[in-house]
Amino acid sequence: MKKPTAVSHLLEKGEGMLQRLRTGAADADRALAALRQALPPEIAAEVWSAALKGSTLTAFVHSAAWGTRLRYVAPSVVAGVAEALGKPVDEIRVKVRAR
């Protein structure tokens, strides 16, 4: 019988699906940080997740009211987010989801 492998060892090796998950999580963290940096502080605090797929950044906010405020300022921060990420960002989509 094969000896069990510790999860910490699997994470350190970072192969296959685990590596893709780690890379995806790191990319999402970078996208969220870039978006928060470009936004006014009161709106940035209400964005709890972001993900870049292609040239579309999807941002998740706590409520519809904050989603509306983010949609209003999104066109003015697209260029700053793209510059911070070093990747093209053509639009910011907003989704409302409570944590």
Coordinates of all heavy atoms in Angstrom, one line a residue:
M1 N 0.8 -1.2 0.0 CA 0.0 0.0 0.0 C 0.9 1.2 0.0 O 1.9 1.3 0.7 CB -0.9 0.0 1.2 CG -1.8 1.2 1.3 SD -2.9 1.1 2.7 CE -4.4 0.8 1.9
K2 N 0.5 2.2 -0.8 CA 1.3 3.5 -0.9 C 1.0 4.3 0.3 O -0.1 4.5 0.8 CB 0.8 4.2 -2.1 CG 1.6 5.4 -2.5 CD 1.1 6.0 -3.7 CE 1.9 7.3 -4.0 NZ 1.5 8.0 -5.2
K3 N 2.1 4.9 0.8 CA 2.1 5.8 2.0 C 1.3 7.1 1.6 O 1.6 7.7 0.5 CB 3.5 6.1 2.5 CG 3.5 7.0 3.7 CD 5.0 7.2 4.1 CE 5.0 8.2 5.3 NZ 6.3 8.5 5.7
P4 N 0.4 7.6 2.5 CA -0.3 8.8 2.2 C 0.7 10.0 2.0 O 1.7 10.1 2.7 CB -1.2 9.0 3.4 CG -1.2 7.7 4.1 CD 0.0 7.0 3.7
T5 N 0.3 10.9 1.1 CA 1.1 12.1 0.9 C 0.5 13.3 1.7 O -0.7 13.5 1.6 CB 1.2 12.5 -0.6 OG1 1.7 11.3 -1.3 CG2 2.1 13.7 -0.8
A6 N 1.3 14.0 2.4 CA 0.8 15.2 3.1 C 0.4 16.3 2.2 O 1.0 16.5 1.1 CB 1.9 15.8 4.0
V7 N -0.7 17.0 2.5 CA -1.3 18.0 1.7 C -0.2 19.1 1.5 O -0.1 19.7 0.4 CB -2.6 18.6 2.3 CG1 -3.0 19.8 1.5 CG2 -3.7 17.5 2.2
S8 N 0.5 19.4 2.5 CA 1.5 20.5 2.5 C 2.6 20.1 1.4 O 3.0 21.0 0.7 CB 2.2 20.7 3.8 OG 2.8 19.5 4.3
H9 N 2.9 18.8 1.3 CA 3.9 18.4 0.3 C 3.3 18.6 -1.1 O 4.0 19.0 -2.0 CB 4.3 17.0 0.5 CG 5.2 16.4 -0.5 ND1 6.5 16.9 -0.6 CD2 5.1 15.5 -1.5 CE1 7.2 16.3 -1.6 NE2 6.3 15.5 -2.1
L10 N 2.0 18.3 -1.3 CA 1.4 18.4 -2.6 C 1.4 19.9 -3.0 O 1.6 20.3 -4.2 CB 0.0 17.9 -2.6 CG -0.2 16.4 -2.5 CD1 -1.6 16.0 -2.3 CD2 0.4 15.7 -3.7
L11 N 1.1 20.8 -2.0 CA 1.0 22.2 -2.3 C 2.4 22.8 -2.7 O 2.5 23.6 -3.5 CB 0.4 23.0 -1.1 CG -1.0 22.7 -0.9 CD1 -1.5 23.4 0.4 CD2 -1.9 23.2 -2.0
E12 N 3.4 22.3 -2.0 CA 4.8 22.7 -2.3 C 5.2 22.3 -3.7 O 5.9 23.0 -4.4 CB 5.8 22.1 -1.3 CG 5.7 22.8 0.1 CD 6.5 22.1 1.1 OE1 7.3 21.1 0.8 OE2 6.4 22.5 2.3
K13 N 4.9 21.0 -4.1 CA 5.2 20.5 -5.4 C 4.5 21.3 -6.5 O 5.1 21.6 -7.5 CB 4.9 19.1 -5.6 CG 5.8 18.1 -4.9 CD 5.4 16.7 -5.0 CE 5.2 16.2 -6.4 NZ 4.8 14.8 -6.4
G14 N 3.3 21.7 -6.3 CA 2.5 22.5 -7.2 C 2.4 21.9 -8.6 O 2.7 22.6 -9.6
E15 N 1.9 20.7 -8.7 CA 1.8 20.1 -10.0 C 0.3 20.0 -10.4 O -0.6 20.0 -9.6 CB 2.3 18.7 -10.0 CG 3.8 18.6 -9.8 CD 4.4 17.2 -9.7 OE1 3.6 16.3 -9.8 OE2 5.6 17.1 -9.6
G16 N 0.1 20.0 -11.7 CA -1.3 19.8 -12.2 C -2.3 20.7 -11.7 O -2.2 21.9 -11.8
M17 N -3.4 20.2 -11.3 CA -4.6 20.9 -10.9 C -4.3 21.9 -9.7 O -4.7 23.0 -9.7 CB -5.8 20.1 -10.5 CG -7.0 20.8 -10.1 SD -8.4 19.8 -9.6 CE -8.9 19.2 -11.2
L18 N -3.5 21.4 -8.8 CA -3.1 22.3 -7.6 C -2.3 23.5 -8.1 O -2.6 24.6 -7.6 CB -2.3 21.5 -6.6 CG -3.1 20.5 -5.8 CD1 -2.1 19.7 -4.9 CD2 -4.1 21.2 -4.9
Q19 N -1.5 23.3 -9.1 CA -0.7 24.5 -9.6 C -1.6 25.5 -10.3 O -1.5 26.7 -10.1 CB 0.4 24.0 -10.5 CG 1.2 25.2 -11.1 CD 1.9 26.0 -10.0 OE1 2.3 25.5 -9.0 NE2 2.0 27.3 -10.2
R20 N -2.6 25.0 -11.1 CA -3.5 25.8 -11.7 C -4.4 26.6 -10.7 O -4.7 27.8 -10.9 CB -4.4 25.0 -12.7 CG -3.7 24.6 -13.9 CD -4.6 24.0 -15.0 NE -5.5 22.9 -14.5 CZ -5.2 21.7 -14.5 NH1 -4.0 21.3 -15.0 NH2 -6.0 20.7 -14.1
L21 N -4.8 25.9 -9.7 CA -5.6 26.6 -8.6 C -4.7 27.7 -7.9 O -5.2 28.8 -7.7 CB -6.0 25.6 -7.6 CG -7.2 24.7 -8.0 CD1 -7.4 23.6 -7.0 CD2 -8.4 25.4 -8.3
R22 N -3.5 27.4 -7.6 CA -2.6 28.4 -7.0 C -2.4 29.6 -7.9 O -2.4 30.7 -7.5 CB -1.3 27.8 -6.6 CG -1.4 26.8 -5.4 CD -0.1 26.1 -5.1 NE 0.9 27.1 -4.8 CZ 2.2 26.9 -4.5 NH1 2.6 25.6 -4.5 NH2 3.0 27.8 -4.2
T23 N -2.2 29.3 -9.2 CA -1.9 30.4 -10.1 C -3.2 31.2 -10.3 O -3.1 32.5 -10.3 CB -1.5 29.8 -11.5 OG1 -0.3 29.0 -11.3 CG2 -1.3 30.9 -12.5
G24 N -4.3 30.6 -10.4 CA -5.6 31.3 -10.5 C -5.9 32.2 -9.3 O -6.4 33.3 -9.5
A25 N -5.6 31.6 -8.1 CA -5.9 32.4 -6.9 C -4.9 33.6 -6.9 O -5.3 34.7 -6.5 CB -5.7 31.5 -5.7
A26 N -3.7 33.4 -7.3 CA -2.7 34.5 -7.3 C -3.1 35.6 -8.3 O -3.0 36.8 -8.0 CB -1.3 34.0 -7.6
D27 N -3.6 35.2 -9.5 CA -4.1 36.1 -10.5 C -5.3 36.9 -10.0 O -5.4 38.1 -10.2 CB -4.4 35.4 -11.8 CG -3.2 34.8 -12.5 OD1 -2.1 35.2 -12.2 OD2 -3.4 34.0 -13.4
A28 N -6.2 36.2 -9.3 CA -7.4 36.9 -8.8 C -7.0 37.9 -7.7 O -7.5 39.0 -7.6 CB -8.4 35.9 -8.2
D29 N -6.0 37.6 -6.9 CA -5.5 38.5 -5.8 C -4.9 39.7 -6.5 O -5.1 40.9 -6.0 CB -4.5 37.8 -4.9 CG -5.1 36.8 -4.0 OD1 -6.3 36.9 -3.8 OD2 -4.3 36.0 -3.4
R30 N -4.1 39.6 -7.5 CA -3.5 40.7 -8.3 C -4.6 41.6 -8.9 O -4.5 42.8 -8.8 CB -2.5 40.2 -9.3 CG -1.2 39.8 -8.7 CD -0.1 39.6 -9.8 NE -0.4 38.5 -10.7 CZ -0.1 37.2 -10.4 NH1 0.4 36.9 -9.2 NH2 -0.4 36.2 -11.2
A31 N -5.6 41.0 -9.5 CA -6.7 41.7 -10.1 C -7.4 42.5 -9.1 O -7.7 43.7 -9.3 CB -7.6 40.8 -10.9
L32 N -7.7 41.9 -7.9 CA -8.4 42.6 -6.9 C -7.6 43.8 -6.3 O -8.1 44.9 -6.2 CB -8.8 41.7 -5.7 CG -9.5 42.3 -4.5 CD1 -10.8 42.9 -4.9 CD2 -9.7 41.2 -3.5
A33 N -6.3 43.6 -6.1 CA -5.4 44.6 -5.6 C -5.4 45.8 -6.6 O -5.4 47.0 -6.2 CB -4.1 44.1 -5.3
A34 N -5.2 45.5 -7.9 CA -5.1 46.5 -8.9 C -6.4 47.3 -9.0 O -6.4 48.6 -9.1 CB -4.8 45.9 -10.3
L35 N -7.6 46.7 -8.9 CA -8.9 47.3 -9.0 C -9.0 48.2 -7.7 O -9.4 49.4 -7.8 CB -10.0 46.3 -9.1 CG -11.4 46.9 -9.1 CD1 -11.6 47.9 -10.3 CD2 -12.5 45.8 -9.1
R36 N -8.8 47.7 -6.6 CA -8.9 48.5 -5.3 C -8.0 49.7 -5.3 O -8.4 50.7 -4.8 CB -8.6 47.6 -4.1 CG -9.7 46.7 -3.7 CD -9.4 45.9 -2.5 NE -10.6 45.1 -2.0 CZ -10.5 44.1 -1.2 NH1 -9.3 43.8 -0.6 NH2 -11.5 43.5 -0.8
Q37 N -6.8 49.5 -5.9 CA -5.9 50.7 -5.9 C -6.4 51.8 -6.8 O -6.2 53.0 -6.5 CB -4.5 50.2 -6.4 CG -3.5 51.2 -6.5 CD -2.2 50.7 -7.1 OE1 -2.0 49.5 -7.4 NE2 -1.2 51.6 -7.2
A38 N -7.1 51.5 -7.8 CA -7.6 52.5 -8.8 C -8.9 53.1 -8.3 O -9.3 54.2 -8.8 CB -7.8 51.8 -10.1
L39 N -9.6 52.5 -7.4 CA -10.9 53.0 -7.0 C -10.8 53.9 -5.8 O -9.9 53.9 -5.0 CB -11.8 51.8 -6.5 CG -12.3 50.9 -7.6 CD1 -13.0 49.6 -7.0 CD2 -13.2 51.6 -8.6
P40 N -11.9 54.8 -5.6 CA -12.0 55.6 -4.4 C -12.1 54.6 -3.2 O -12.7 53.6 -3.3 CB -13.3 56.4 -4.6 CG -13.5 56.4 -6.0 CD -12.9 55.1 -6.6
P41 N -11.5 55.0 -2.1 CA -11.4 54.1 -0.9 C -12.8 53.5 -0.4 O -12.9 52.3 -0.1 CB -10.8 54.9 0.2 CG -10.1 56.0 -0.5 CD -10.8 56.2 -1.8
E42 N -13.8 54.3 -0.5 CA -15.1 53.9 0.0 C -15.7 52.8 -0.9 O -16.4 51.9 -0.4 CB -16.1 55.0 0.2 CG -16.5 55.7 -1.1 CD -15.6 56.8 -1.5 OE1 -14.5 57.0 -0.9 OE2 -15.9 57.5 -2.6
I43 N -15.4 52.9 -2.2 CA -15.9 51.8 -3.1 C -15.0 50.6 -3.0 O -15.4 49.5 -3.0 CB -16.0 52.3 -4.5 CG1 -17.0 53.5 -4.6 CG2 -16.4 51.2 -5.5 CD1 -17.1 54.2 -6.0
A44 N -13.7 50.8 -3.0 CA -12.7 49.7 -2.9 C -13.0 48.8 -1.8 O -12.8 47.6 -1.9 CB -11.3 50.3 -2.8
A45 N -13.4 49.3 -0.6 CA -13.7 48.5 0.5 C -14.8 47.6 0.3 O -15.0 46.6 1.0 CB -13.9 49.4 1.7
E46 N -15.7 47.9 -0.6 CA -16.9 47.0 -0.9 C -16.7 46.0 -1.9 O -17.6 45.2 -2.2 CB -18.1 47.9 -1.2 CG -18.5 48.9 -0.1 CD -18.8 48.2 1.2 OE1 -19.5 47.2 1.2 OE2 -18.4 48.8 2.3
V47 N -15.6 46.0 -2.6 CA -15.2 45.0 -3.7 C -14.5 43.9 -3.0 O -13.5 44.1 -2.4 CB -14.4 45.6 -4.8 CG1 -14.0 44.6 -5.8 CG2 -15.0 46.8 -5.4
W48 N -15.1 42.7 -3.0 CA -14.5 41.6 -2.3 C -13.8 40.5 -3.1 O -13.0 39.7 -2.6 CB -15.5 40.9 -1.3 CG -16.7 40.3 -2.0 CD1 -17.9 40.9 -2.2 CD2 -16.8 39.0 -2.4 NE1 -18.7 40.0 -2.8 CE2 -18.1 38.8 -3.0 CE3 -16.0 37.9 -2.5 CZ2 -18.6 37.6 -3.5 CZ3 -16.4 36.7 -3.0 CH2 -17.7 36.6 -3.5
S49 N -13.9 40.6 -4.4 CA -13.2 39.7 -5.3 C -13.2 40.3 -6.7 O -14.1 41.1 -7.1 CB -14.0 38.4 -5.3 OG -13.3 37.4 -6.1
A50 N -12.2 39.9 -7.5 CA -12.2 40.3 -8.9 C -11.4 39.2 -9.7 O -10.5 38.5 -9.1 CB -11.4 41.6 -9.0
A51 N -11.7 39.1 -10.9 CA -11.1 38.1 -11.8 C -11.0 38.7 -13.2 O -12.0 39.2 -13.7 CB -11.8 36.8 -11.8
L52 N -9.9 38.5 -13.8 CA -9.7 38.9 -15.2 C -9.7 37.7 -16.1 O -9.0 36.7 -16.0 CB -8.3 39.6 -15.4 CG -8.0 40.2 -16.7 CD1 -8.9 41.3 -17.1 CD2 -6.5 40.7 -16.8
K53 N -10.6 37.8 -17.1 CA -10.8 36.7 -18.1 C -10.7 37.4 -19.4 O -11.6 38.1 -19.8 CB -12.0 35.9 -17.9 CG -12.1 34.7 -18.8 CD -13.3 33.8 -18.4 CE -13.3 32.6 -19.3 NZ -14.4 31.7 -19.0
G54 N -9.7 37.1 -20.2 CA -9.5 37.8 -21.5 C -9.2 39.3 -21.1 O -8.3 39.6 -20.4
S55 N -10.0 40.2 -21.7 CA -9.8 41.6 -21.4 C -11.0 42.2 -20.5 O -11.2 43.4 -20.5 CB -9.7 42.4 -22.7 OG -10.9 42.3 -23.4
T56 N -11.8 41.3 -19.9 CA -12.9 41.7 -19.1 C -12.6 41.4 -17.6 O -12.3 40.2 -17.3 CB -14.2 40.9 -19.5 OG1 -14.5 41.2 -20.9 CG2 -15.3 41.4 -18.6
L57 N -12.6 42.4 -16.8 CA -12.4 42.2 -15.4 C -13.8 42.2 -14.7 O -14.6 43.1 -14.9 CB -11.7 43.4 -14.8 CG -11.4 43.3 -13.3 CD1 -10.2 42.4 -13.1 CD2 -11.1 44.7 -12.7
T58 N -14.1 41.1 -14.0 CA -15.3 41.0 -13.3 C -15.1 41.3 -11.8 O -14.2 40.7 -11.2 CB -15.9 39.6 -13.5 OG1 -16.1 39.3 -14.9 CG2 -17.3 39.4 -12.8
A59 N -15.8 42.2 -11.3 CA -15.7 42.6 -9.9 C -16.9 42.2 -9.1 O -18.1 42.4 -9.6 CB -15.5 44.1 -9.8
F60 N -16.8 41.7 -7.9 CA -17.9 41.3 -7.1 C -18.0 42.2 -5.9 O -17.0 42.5 -5.2 CB -17.6 39.8 -6.6 CG -17.6 38.8 -7.7 CD1 -16.4 38.5 -8.3 CD2 -18.8 38.2 -8.1 CE1 -16.4 37.6 -9.3 CE2 -18.8 37.3 -9.2 CZ -17.6 37.0 -9.8
V61 N -19.2 42.7 -5.7 CA -19.4 43.7 -4.6 C -20.5 43.2 -3.7 O -21.2 42.2 -4.0 CB -19.8 45.1 -5.2 CG1 -18.7 45.7 -6.0 CG2 -21.1 45.0 -6.0
H62 N -20.6 43.8 -2.5 CA -21.5 43.4 -1.4 C -23.0 43.6 -1.7 O -23.8 42.9 -1.2 CB -21.1 44.0 -0.1 CG -19.8 43.5 0.4 ND1 -18.8 44.4 0.7 CD2 -19.3 42.3 0.6 CE1 -17.7 43.7 1.1 NE2 -18.0 42.4 1.1
S63 N -23.3 44.7 -2.4 CA -24.7 45.1 -2.5 C -24.9 45.8 -3.9 O -24.0 46.3 -4.5 CB -25.1 46.0 -1.4 OG -24.5 47.3 -1.5
A64 N -26.2 45.9 -4.2 CA -26.6 46.6 -5.5 C -26.2 48.0 -5.5 O -25.8 48.6 -6.5 CB -28.1 46.4 -5.8
A65 N -26.3 48.7 -4.3 CA -26.0 50.1 -4.2 C -24.5 50.3 -4.6 O -24.1 51.2 -5.3 CB -26.3 50.6 -2.8
W66 N -23.6 49.5 -4.0 CA -22.2 49.6 -4.3 C -21.9 49.2 -5.7 O -21.0 49.7 -6.3 CB -21.4 48.8 -3.3 CG -21.4 49.4 -1.9 CD1 -22.0 49.0 -0.8 CD2 -20.8 50.7 -1.6 NE1 -21.8 49.9 0.2 CE2 -21.0 50.9 -0.3 CE3 -20.0 51.6 -2.3 CZ2 -20.6 52.1 0.4 CZ3 -19.5 52.7 -1.6 CH2 -19.8 53.0 -0.3
G67 N -22.6 48.2 -6.2 CA -22.5 47.9 -7.6 C -22.8 49.0 -8.6 O -22.1 49.2 -9.6
T68 N -23.8 49.8 -8.3 CA -24.2 50.9 -9.1 C -23.1 52.0 -9.0 O -22.7 52.6 -10.0 CB -25.5 51.5 -8.6 OG1 -26.5 50.5 -8.7 CG2 -25.9 52.8 -9.4
R69 N -22.5 52.2 -7.8 CA -21.4 53.2 -7.7 C -20.2 52.7 -8.5 O -19.5 53.6 -9.1 CB -21.1 53.4 -6.2 CG -22.2 54.2 -5.5 CD -21.9 54.5 -4.1 NE -20.9 55.6 -4.1 CZ -20.4 56.1 -3.0 NH1 -20.8 55.6 -1.8 NH2 -19.5 57.0 -3.0
L70 N -19.9 51.4 -8.4 CA -18.7 50.9 -9.1 C -19.0 51.0 -10.6 O -18.1 51.4 -11.4 CB -18.4 49.5 -8.7 CG -17.3 48.8 -9.5 CD1 -16.0 49.6 -9.4 CD2 -17.1 47.4 -8.9
R71 N -20.2 50.7 -11.1 CA -20.4 50.8 -12.6 C -20.3 52.3 -13.0 O -19.8 52.5 -14.1 CB -21.9 50.4 -12.9 CG -22.0 48.9 -12.9 CD -23.5 48.5 -13.2 NE -23.7 47.1 -13.0 CZ -24.1 46.5 -11.8 NH1 -24.5 47.3 -10.9 NH2 -24.3 45.3 -11.7
Y72 N -20.6 53.2 -12.2 CA -20.5 54.6 -12.5 C -19.0 55.1 -12.7 O -18.7 55.8 -13.6 CB -21.2 55.5 -11.4 CG -21.1 57.0 -11.7 CD1 -21.9 57.5 -12.7 CD2 -20.2 57.8 -11.0 CE1 -21.9 58.9 -13.0 CE2 -20.2 59.2 -11.3 CZ -21.0 59.7 -12.2 OH -21.0 61.0 -12.5
V73 N -18.1 54.6 -11.8 CA -16.7 55.0 -11.9 C -15.9 54.1 -12.7 O -14.7 54.4 -13.1 CB -16.1 55.2 -10.5 CG1 -16.8 56.2 -9.7 CG2 -16.0 53.8 -9.8
A74 N -16.4 52.9 -13.1 CA -15.6 51.9 -13.8 C -14.9 52.4 -15.1 O -13.7 52.2 -15.3 CB -16.4 50.7 -14.1
P75 N -15.6 53.2 -15.9 CA -14.9 53.6 -17.2 C -13.7 54.5 -16.9 O -12.7 54.5 -17.7 CB -16.0 54.4 -17.9 CG -17.3 53.9 -17.4 CD -17.0 53.5 -16.0
S76 N -13.7 55.2 -15.8 CA -12.6 56.1 -15.5 C -11.4 55.4 -14.9 O -10.3 55.9 -14.8 CB -13.0 57.2 -14.6 OG -13.4 56.7 -13.3
V77 N -11.6 54.1 -14.4 CA -10.5 53.4 -13.8 C -9.9 52.2 -14.6 O -8.9 51.6 -14.3 CB -10.8 52.9 -12.4 CG1 -11.2 54.0 -11.5 CG2 -11.9 51.8 -12.4
V78 N -10.5 52.0 -15.8 CA -10.1 50.9 -16.6 C -8.6 51.0 -17.0 O -7.9 50.0 -16.9 CB -11.0 50.7 -17.9 CG1 -10.4 49.8 -18.9 CG2 -12.4 50.3 -17.5
A79 N -8.2 52.2 -17.4 CA -6.8 52.3 -17.9 C -5.9 52.1 -16.7 O -4.8 51.5 -16.9 CB -6.6 53.7 -18.5
G80 N -6.2 52.6 -15.5 CA -5.3 52.4 -14.4 C -5.2 50.9 -14.0 O -4.1 50.5 -13.6
V81 N -6.3 50.2 -14.1 CA -6.2 48.8 -13.7 C -5.4 48.0 -14.8 O -4.6 47.2 -14.4 CB -7.7 48.2 -13.7 CG1 -7.7 46.7 -13.5 CG2 -8.5 48.9 -12.5
A82 N -5.6 48.3 -16.0 CA -4.8 47.7 -17.1 C -3.3 47.9 -16.9 O -2.5 47.0 -17.1 CB -5.3 48.2 -18.5
E83 N -3.0 49.2 -16.6 CA -1.6 49.5 -16.4 C -1.0 48.7 -15.2 O 0.1 48.2 -15.3 CB -1.4 51.0 -16.2 CG 0.0 51.4 -16.0 CD 0.1 52.9 -15.8 OE1 -0.7 53.7 -16.3 OE2 1.2 53.4 -15.3
A84 N -1.8 48.7 -14.1 CA -1.3 48.0 -12.9 C -1.1 46.5 -13.1 O -0.2 45.9 -12.6 CB -2.3 48.2 -11.7
L85 N -2.0 45.9 -14.0 CA -1.9 44.5 -14.3 C -0.9 44.2 -15.4 O -0.5 43.0 -15.5 CB -3.3 43.9 -14.6 CG -4.3 43.9 -13.5 CD1 -5.7 43.4 -14.0 CD2 -3.9 42.9 -12.4
G86 N -0.6 45.2 -16.2 CA 0.2 44.9 -17.3 C -0.5 44.1 -18.4 O 0.2 43.4 -19.2
K87 N -1.8 44.1 -18.4 CA -2.6 43.4 -19.4 C -3.7 44.3 -19.9 O -4.1 45.2 -19.1 CB -3.2 42.1 -18.7 CG -2.1 41.1 -18.3 CD -2.8 39.9 -17.6 CE -1.8 38.9 -17.2 NZ -2.3 37.8 -16.6
P88 N -4.2 44.0 -21.1 CA -5.3 44.9 -21.5 C -6.6 44.6 -20.8 O -6.9 43.4 -20.5 CB -5.5 44.4 -23.0 CG -4.8 43.1 -23.1 CD -3.8 43.1 -22.1
V89 N -7.3 45.6 -20.4 CA -8.6 45.5 -19.8 C -9.5 46.5 -20.5 O -9.3 47.7 -20.6 CB -8.6 46.0 -18.3 CG1 -10.0 45.9 -17.7 CG2 -7.6 45.1 -17.5
D90 N -10.5 45.9 -21.2 CA -11.4 46.7 -22.0 C -12.7 47.1 -21.3 O -13.3 48.1 -21.6 CB -11.8 45.9 -23.3 CG -10.7 45.7 -24.2 OD1 -9.8 46.5 -24.2 OD2 -10.7 44.6 -24.9
E91 N -13.1 46.3 -20.3 CA -14.3 46.6 -19.6 C -14.3 46.0 -18.2 O -13.5 45.0 -17.9 CB -15.6 46.1 -20.3 CG -15.8 44.6 -20.2 CD -17.2 44.3 -20.8 OE1 -18.2 44.8 -20.4 OE2 -17.2 43.3 -21.6
I92 N -15.0 46.6 -17.3 CA -15.2 46.1 -15.9 C -16.7 45.7 -15.8 O -17.6 46.6 -15.9 CB -14.8 47.1 -14.9 CG1 -13.3 47.4 -15.0 CG2 -15.1 46.6 -13.5 CD1 -12.8 48.5 -14.1
R93 N -16.9 44.4 -15.5 CA -18.3 44.0 -15.3 C -18.5 43.9 -13.7 O -17.5 43.5 -13.0 CB -18.5 42.6 -15.8 CG -18.7 42.6 -17.3 CD -19.3 41.3 -17.8 NE -19.3 41.3 -19.2 CZ -19.2 40.2 -20.0 NH1 -19.0 39.1 -19.4 NH2 -19.2 40.3 -21.3
V94 N -19.6 44.2 -13.3 CA -19.9 44.2 -11.9 C -21.0 43.2 -11.6 O -22.0 43.1 -12.2 CB -20.4 45.6 -11.4 CG1 -20.7 45.6 -9.9 CG2 -19.3 46.7 -11.7
K95 N -20.7 42.3 -10.6 CA -21.7 41.4 -10.1 C -21.9 41.6 -8.6 O -21.0 41.8 -7.9 CB -21.2 39.9 -10.4 CG -21.1 39.7 -11.9 CD -21.0 38.2 -12.2 CE -21.0 38.0 -13.7 NZ -21.3 36.7 -14.1
V96 N -23.2 41.5 -8.2 CA -23.5 41.7 -6.8 C -23.7 40.3 -6.2 O -24.5 39.5 -6.6 CB -24.8 42.5 -6.6 CG1 -25.2 42.6 -5.2 CG2 -24.6 43.9 -7.3
R97 N -22.9 40.0 -5.2 CA -23.0 38.8 -4.4 C -22.5 39.0 -3.0 O -21.4 39.5 -2.8 CB -22.1 37.7 -5.0 CG -22.5 37.2 -6.4 CD -22.1 35.8 -6.7 NE -22.6 35.5 -8.0 CZ -21.9 35.0 -9.0 NH1 -20.6 34.8 -8.8 NH2 -22.4 34.7 -10.2
A98 N -23.3 38.7 -2.1 CA -22.9 38.8 -0.7 C -21.9 37.7 -0.4 O -22.0 36.6 -1.1 CB -24.1 38.6 0.2
R99 N -21.0 38.0 0.4 CA -20.0 36.9 0.7 C -20.6 35.7 1.3 O -21.5 35.7 2.1 CB -19.0 37.5 1.8 CG -18.0 38.4 1.1 CD -16.8 38.5 2.1 NE -16.3 39.8 2.1 CZ -15.1 40.1 2.6 NH1 -14.4 39.2 3.1 NH2 -14.6 41.3 2.5

